[in-house]
Amino acid sequence: MTVSSAPGKVYLFGEHAVVYGEPAVPCAIERRATVSVEPRADDHIRVTARDLSLDGFTVEYGQSPDERPDVDVPTPLVEAATGYVDAAVEQARDAVSDPEAGFDVTIESDIPLGAGLGSSAAVVVASIDAATRSLGVELDPVEIAERAYQAEYEVQSGQASRADTFCSAMGGAVRVEGDDCRTIDTPNLPFVVGFDGGAGDTGALVAGVRDLKERYAFAADTVETVGDIVREGETLLADADADGDPDEELLAELGNLMDFNHGLLEALGVSSRSLDNMVWAARMAGAHGAKLTGAGGGGCIVALDPTPETETGLRFTPGCEDVFRAELATEGVRVEAESAVGARGDDGGEAGERDEGAE
Ligand code: MEV
């Protein structure tokens, strides 16, 4: 059994605009998806999802379309879990040059699904790492990030940037602008996350922004203005002392930019009443700034507040189901446990010894 984990993330600035080549700054947080992989003797994939905001289930299927899973749980939930795992497995098969490698995959995640905290990117990144390691191939995090991006790009029909997957693979704060992905230094930012218990449909939300942008020049300008906010924000971060806690002045300036960024995301139609409620509750409680994080439509907001006030305020906000402080995850993808490799399946069968009849 090989076990890898990868962190979720919050966007300090720049979601959506990053899809159109503007820069974004996501920050990895200490909420992780943990994926355990055991190579199989056949070419099947069995996915067991233990949490992921859904009731646990197990599905097993082979490679041909008529072997797709037939299970008694709502199809979109199965697709959400298996679509990303399938794409990750394809990347792992390609990386180990074995198109017929089969795996038992178990996912445990404390990142709510579709809530703007990068759950799918974390699952894909950890799956690629665990699956390749389980067959004796160790990829570096930059290659995992690239393969995870290809997997997300495929599942999201081309509507994905490199931001979520690069951030999850590398950890820390990152800056992504098109193909240019790099890690950056930041002080220890005091993130508070509020979660409304819901989720957004990333594909539909990205498509909505694209439509607005194509229809109205001012919507295209709005996307570019988000890029200006990010550029302003990264200058502040570059000038800040990356060791230790940020000073009040920096938090106030970053907070202003977050507020502005949220306003523009709201204008682009990707906020929701509950996200706006939580953003306002955080501001009223004294947060330096607050914005939705990720695709929007429902899910999470992120606020900056070193004091307990925002957590308390959000806890008493109707529609806010969970509140937590999110520490920056300095480590990206990492192996948690590794057993001897080279064998495929518990029976110790080497590559080439696969039970071809097992379907
Ligand atoms: C989703 O977490 C972030 C978006 O910018 C889409 C993407 O970057 O792929 C909305």
Side-chain angles (χ1 to χ4, degrees):
M1 176 86 75
T2 304
V3 185
S4 297
S5 77
K9 56 105 226 314
V10 291
Y11 272 88
L12 187 55
F13 316 111
E15 56 272 87
H16 283 287
V18 69
V19 174
Y20 309 101
E22 298 295 340
V25 177
C27 301
I29 58 167
E30 272 310 342
R31 286 245 158 173
R32 303 183 80 90
T34 302
V35 177
S36 310
V37 171
E38 189 69 52
R40 291 174 62 103
D42 59 24
D43 65 358
H44 285 202
I45 303 169
R46 185 172 66 185
V47 181
T48 301
R50 293 237 170 92
D51 12 46
L52 287 174
S53 335
L54 20 125
D55 292 338
F57 67 83
T58 300
V59 292
E60 180 177 331
Y61 45 97
Q63 293 201 40
S64 70
D66 56 3
E67 291 180 287
R68 296 288 93 180
D70 177 19
V71 287
D72 186 23
V73 292
T75 311
L77 299 184
V78 176
E79 281 173 3
T82 59
Y84 287 103
V85 174
D86 264 0
V89 163
E90 277 313 313
Q91 288 297 326
R93 284 174 170 154
D94 185 63
V96 301
S97 305
D98 183 350
E100 297 189 338
F103 303 96
D104 287 341
V105 179
T106 302
I107 303 163
E108 290 172 82
S109 174
D110 57 11
I111 311 167
L113 198 67
L117 299 183
S119 58
S120 59
V123 166
V124 169
V125 164
S127 297
I128 293 173
D129 190 54
T132 48
R133 281 176 186 275
S134 76
L135 293 178
V137 175
E138 192 178 325
L139 305 179
D140 73 50
V142 173
E143 180 170 355
I144 294 173
E146 179 57 28
R147 289 188 174 278
Y149 164 66
Q150 296 300 339
E152 279 219 330
Y153 188 86
E154 188 190 309
V155 179
Q156 292 171 206
S157 312
Q159 314 237 45
S161 74
R162 288 181 154 77
D164 290 22
T165 38
F166 185 74
C167 185
S168 185
M170 305 305 290
V174 306
R175 179 196 191 273
V176 172
E177 183 174 7
D179 298 348
D180 180 20
C181 303
R182 53 187 76 181
T183 55
I184 58 174
D185 288 333
T186 59
N188 194 15
L189 296 173
F191 293 127
V192 178
V193 173
F195 176 37
D196 69 6
D201 178 339
T202 301
L205 290 154
V206 171
V209 173
R210 187 182 297 278
D211 285 350
L212 279 178
K213 197 175 151 301
E214 281 168 6
R215 189 155 171 209
Y216 301 116
F218 52 78
D221 291 346
T222 303
V223 168
E224 278 179 33
T225 306
V226 172
D228 292 338
I229 291 173
V230 182
R231 283 180 275 275
E232 190 73 31
E234 62 184 321
T235 307
L236 292 174
L237 292 173
D239 292 346
D241 180 1
D243 292 327
D245 294 329
D247 61 32
E248 287 282 310
E249 194 187 337
L250 174 65
L251 290 178
E253 286 189 81
L254 290 173
N256 283 342
L257 295 176
M258 290 170 75
D259 288 343
F260 213 126
N261 195 163
H262 181 77
L264 298 182
L265 288 166
E266 212 276 320
L268 290 168
V270 298
S271 192
S272 70
R273 181 174 284 209
S274 60
L275 292 174
D276 287 345
N277 277 348
M278 291 190 292
V279 161
W280 273 105
R283 290 173 184 163
M284 299 311 284
H288 289 283
K291 60 182 278 297
L292 69 82
T293 173
C300 292
I301 65 136
V302 57
L304 278 189
D305 189 355
T307 78
E309 301 302 324
T310 296
E311 282 169 273
T312 308
L314 284 170
R315 227 162 245 130
F316 289 99
T317 301
C320 179
E321 298 233 328
D322 193 15
V323 186
F324 55 92
R325 192 162 276 289
E327 296 296 326
L328 190 72
T330 48
E331 262 187 297
V333 62
R334 69 175 181 229
V335 63
E336 304 284 354
E338 215 164 2
S339 55
V341 289
R344 173 170 294 151
D346 284 331
D347 60 357
E350 294 289 337
E353 277 184 44
R354 186 184 304 113
D355 176 6
E356 300 292 348
E359 293 295 334

